[in-house]
Amino acid sequence: MHKTTTLEANVLGRPVPVSTISSPLAARRMQAFLETNQIGQTDFAGRVGTTDRTLRSFRKSGKVRRDIFAAIVKAMGTTKETLLKPE
């Protein structure tokens, strides 16, 4: 099951809510996609518009910013519902 949380981020000295997706299952599915398609994490990070460090963190924690999650979904050619669907 996934959940959405709101975190506080300091942008230009002002707190701004940042929405995140929390889904270890989606992180595992992304990893399986990379392995099945023989795509390196650094290459995929470039396609997503983020860093391999961010993807590594997502794989470990299951949490990622909503905008990065949307880019991951797009790069995988799927939908967020499919990626978040319980097993």
Side-chain angles (χ1 to χ4, degrees), residues 46-57:
R47 296 179 193 187
V48 169
T50 191
T51 64
D52 60 344
R53 182 177 180 180
T54 296
L55 294 185
R56 191 170 47 253
S57 175

Side-chain angles (χ1 to χ4, degrees), residues 19-75:
S19 184
T20 61
I21 296 289
S22 180
S23 176
L25 177 60
R28 288 192 305 270
R29 287 180 173 156
M30 179 195 73
Q31 181 60 35
F33 173 84
L34 296 179
E35 291 171 4
T36 299
N37 293 284
Q38 299 180 343
I39 302 170
Q41 185 171 280
T42 302
D43 179 37
F44 189 69
R47 296 179 193 187
V48 169
T50 191
T51 64
D52 60 344
R53 182 177 180 180
T54 296
L55 294 185
R56 191 170 47 253
S57 175
F58 177 44
R59 287 175 42 217
K60 183 177 180 180
S61 70
K63 296 178 185 177
V64 70
R65 284 189 351 226
R66 184 176 292 275
D67 61 326
I68 295 172
F69 183 75
I72 290 168
V73 168
K74 184 176 180 181

